Amino acid sequence: MKCKMVFSLFGLAVTWMVSSSVTWDKPSELSKIMKQMLVFIQQEKTGIESNQPARQFPYDIRKISKAKVTPGKKLAKEHTQYVADFFEELGNYYQANDMAERKAGYNTMVNACVACHRHECPGPITVIQKNLF
């Protein structure tokens, strides 16, 4: 009987600690844009593999440089440059003249994402890199 009570109290204490320390906040605006970006690069890879023309870049993703980050986090001072580098590589991707150039431009564009994430938020790097050719 005493053992059951101790385990019950222990379970309640653990539940209370976990629920009080974990916040279930909504994803930040930047996080939502990053998920849209991942969908875009995945769709572009599929399009390249099936010899389809490049899709139009989603307008909402252009808000990346001004998107709000997760509360308590700060972007690296180089963030603006990383965003500029990505958009430069995106432009190069769209200017490709043939499929070989398009594939190379795509990989360079995806690597621009990886370069930024190395400094900003390394968690998704593996997922991003899986989209390289």
Side-chain angles (χ1 to χ4, degrees):
M1 179 78 170
K2 216 176 196 183
C3 190
K4 283 184 181 181
M5 184 192 273
V6 169
F7 279 121
S8 295
L9 288 173
F10 177 75
L12 286 171
V14 169
T15 302
W16 175 78
M17 287 188 306
V18 169
S19 66
S20 65
S21 64
V22 175
T23 58
W24 302 101
D25 296 331
K26 294 180 185 176
S28 70
E29 183 181 16
L30 186 57
S31 176
K32 290 177 186 176
I33 290 173
M34 289 292 108
K35 288 176 183 168
Q36 291 174 332
M37 178 81 82
L38 180 61
V39 169
F40 169 75
I41 65 172
Q42 290 169 334
Q43 290 173 338
E44 284 305 296
K45 183 175 183 182
T46 300
I48 292 169
E49 291 170 336
S50 59
N51 206 25
Q52 298 295 314
R55 294 174 49 248
Q56 183 175 353
F57 188 71
Y59 184 78
D60 285 349
I61 297 176
R62 296 184 189 278
K63 299 175 188 175
I64 193 169
S65 61
K66 297 185 187 330
K68 293 180 184 174
V69 298
T70 303
K73 292 194 176 187
K74 290 184 180 181
L75 296 173
K77 58 185 172 185
E78 302 88 3
H79 180 75
T80 304
Q81 185 60 51
Y82 290 126
V83 171
D85 292 346
F86 170 78
F87 281 111
E88 181 178 340
E89 297 306 337
L90 177 68
N92 293 339
Y93 168 73
Y94 280 115
Q95 292 176 5
N97 294 317
D98 59 36
M99 198 51 75
E101 278 184 27
R102 186 171 166 210
K103 191 182 271 190
Y106 169 87
N107 276 340
T108 304
M109 176 180 65
V110 173
N111 279 322
C113 297
V114 172
C116 180
H117 276 272
R118 279 196 178 107
H119 293 91
E120 299 285 353
C121 179
I125 289 176
T126 304
V127 173
I128 297 167
Q129 288 176 325
K130 287 181 181 178
N131 292 286
L132 290 166
F133 284 104

